Amino acid sequence: MRVERRTVKGATPGVTYDVAFLHFGEAGARPKIYVQAGLHADEAPGQLTAHHLRERLMMLEAEGLVQGHIVLVPVANPIGLSQQVLGTLQGRFALADGVNFNRSFPDLGADAAAILNGRLTGDRDRNAYVIREAFQEVLCAWTPLRAPENLKKLLLSEAIDADVVIDLHCDGEAEVHLYAPTEQAKAFQPLAAYLGAKALLVADVSGDHPFDEAVTRPWGALRQRFPDHPVPQGSIATTVELRGDGDVNHAMAAKDAEAIIQFLALRSVIGLEPAPLPAALCEPTPLAGSEALEALEAGLIVFARQTGDHVEAGALIADIIDPVSGSTHPVHATTSGILYARTSARFAVAGKRLGKIAGATPFRSGNLLSP
């Protein structure tokens, strides 16, 4: 393992942040795999999984079984990790401006297209190489003003040339679930099976340009821009939600790390015979078919259904109880599917998101992600 520490400039004089990139295998080897945890810094399950993944990769590397180049970032967001407010970690949004750390990544496609005009050839592999160079040129030319943007530039510069990107997150209370581009669902179904995921949510554009789409979408944009040249899908990426924020224990994290190892073995990145694929617990469903349940009134949240339950449209999901008046406001599903996530809070203000159901029929448009 080679440890590379890179510095992120802070917002004020004398303030910097370090990000550790752990490299396994030979730098420059293909395929390149990029795995990060803690982009939302208050989400601990992925960071513990990264800890167990590091231990496994160190052993596999010592045995000469790492056949590609794996980059592991166990703490992707030291800025968010430093944001303690009255004893509570606030790692999802930058306190300076309220921007979500996993939103508003730059779209490299248009600027890269301007650089690539006249550079592409009829050779698919050569085109992949020059496209990755163009992405790096665009990133090098970007001069961020704010510390979170400096962090986004750093992370994207390491991930943008990876063949596979896995971004580890978690929800409030949840089953394991994945987000992926629609055309990449098949590629990530084995990972979903190894992880025991209850939902694999797919979309062409989910909204607000999160990290995974910042890696993958420029390739599609370039295919449209240069239809006469072979442009591959040089990167595939998924966001993996490792249950809820309280699901932090060694047994789960070790199991999740092993699932990622088996997925990498299946893709010939690690020289192991991959374990047989477990039976899939879900099929891909459209993110546009995911129902976000909201409280219409303020009050105590009393759930009637557990995560992982299959619910039918019309089923009672929760009661919202006003503790002053005693009134009860039921919240019913309008979509049939798996209740794959719910809030860990037990008091709601009006409009609070309570849970999410993975339905099979698209009915939403616009921004499909949580704030």
Side-chain angles (χ1 to χ4, degrees):
M1 180 180 74
R2 177 172 64 87
V3 180
E4 178 188 15
R5 295 187 179 276
R6 299 171 67 182
T7 299
V8 176
K9 181 182 177 182
T12 55
V15 176
T16 59
Y17 303 89
D18 286 343
V19 179
F21 296 87
L22 312 183
H23 296 264
F24 302 87
E26 183 181 350
R30 291 285 170 187
K32 178 181 177 181
I33 310 299
Y34 177 94
V35 182
Q36 73 177 16
L39 181 56
H40 285 149
D42 51 1
E43 296 177 356
Q47 295 175 69
L48 185 58
T49 294
H51 166 76
H52 283 272
L53 190 56
R54 168 174 46 195
E55 299 301 308
R56 284 287 283 128
L57 288 172
M58 288 175 67
M59 295 172 58
L60 292 165
E61 185 178 48
E63 296 172 16
L65 295 176
V66 177
Q67 298 175 341
H69 177 203
I70 301 172
V71 181
L72 175 64
V73 187
V75 177
N77 185 3
I79 300 173
L81 206 58
S82 71
Q83 295 184 159
Q84 294 278 342
V85 178
L86 300 178
T88 301
L89 179 60
Q90 301 289 337
R92 184 178 181 86
F93 303 97
L95 292 183
D97 56 14
V99 173
N100 190 318
F101 283 109
N102 192 26
R103 304 290 187 271
S104 304
F105 276 83
D107 185 348
L108 307 181
D111 289 340
I115 293 171
L116 289 164
N117 202 19
R119 291 194 191 181
L120 296 180
T121 69
D123 186 321
R124 179 185 177 91
D125 292 337
R126 174 64 183 171
N127 287 344
Y129 177 82
V130 297
I131 288 169
R132 290 181 173 123
E133 281 193 328
F135 290 156
Q136 293 292 359
E137 284 186 48
V138 174
L139 283 169
C140 285
W142 180 31
T143 305
L145 295 177
R146 299 173 179 83
E149 292 173 339
N150 289 329
L151 176 66
K152 290 173 182 178
K153 177 178 178 177
L154 175 62
L155 298 175
L156 197 53
S157 67
E158 186 63 55
I160 196 63
D161 65 344
D163 297 278
V164 180
V165 170
I166 301 173
D167 191 13
L168 301 177
H169 288 256
C170 73
D171 214 306
E173 296 176 352
E175 303 297 315
V176 176
H177 57 283
L178 285 72
Y179 298 92
T182 304
E183 65 179 9
Q184 296 171 25
K186 185 177 180 180
F188 287 113
Q189 281 181 291
L191 179 59
Y194 280 129
L195 286 166
K198 295 291 184 69
L200 172 54
L201 301 144
V202 299
D204 295 326
V205 178
S206 60
D208 282 353
H209 217 63
F211 179 79
D212 55 359
E213 291 187 11
V215 173
T216 60
R217 281 176 55 193
W219 292 93
L222 291 175
R223 282 198 298 277
Q224 292 182 354
R225 173 65 179 80
F226 299 104
D228 296 330
H229 296 84
V231 174
Q233 181 58 50
S235 295
I236 61 173
T238 182
T239 294
V240 178
E241 305 278 351
L242 294 174
R243 306 176 193 83
D245 54 23
D247 293 317
V248 185
N249 65 67
H250 286 301
M252 282 183 179
K255 179 176 178 292
D256 294 338
E258 188 59 32
I260 294 171
I261 292 292
Q262 295 303 322
F263 174 69
L264 297 183
L266 193 66
R267 298 189 69 89
S268 301
V269 184
I270 292 174
L272 293 175
E273 182 68 27
L277 272 176
L281 301 182
C282 65
E283 292 295 326
T285 55
L287 184 55
S290 173
E291 180 179 8
L293 300 163
E294 294 183 342
L296 299 181
E297 302 286 344
L300 299 166
I301 306 168
V302 183
F303 281 109
R305 304 302 294 262
Q306 302 296 317
T307 62
D309 286 354
H310 184 277
V311 298
E312 297 294 332
L316 176 67
I317 304 300
D319 286 322
I320 306 299
I321 299 174
D322 183 331
V324 176
S325 70
S327 61
T328 298
H329 305 276
V331 178
H332 296 95
T334 62
T335 298
S336 299
I338 297 293
L339 179 66
Y340 64 91
R342 67 186 196 183
T343 180
S344 56
R346 290 301 181 267
F347 191 91
V349 297
K352 180 174 179 58
R353 183 165 290 189
L354 301 175
K356 293 174 278 192
I357 299 171
T361 303
F363 67 93
R364 295 193 297 143
S365 60
N367 191 345
L368 303 174
L369 294 176
S370 304

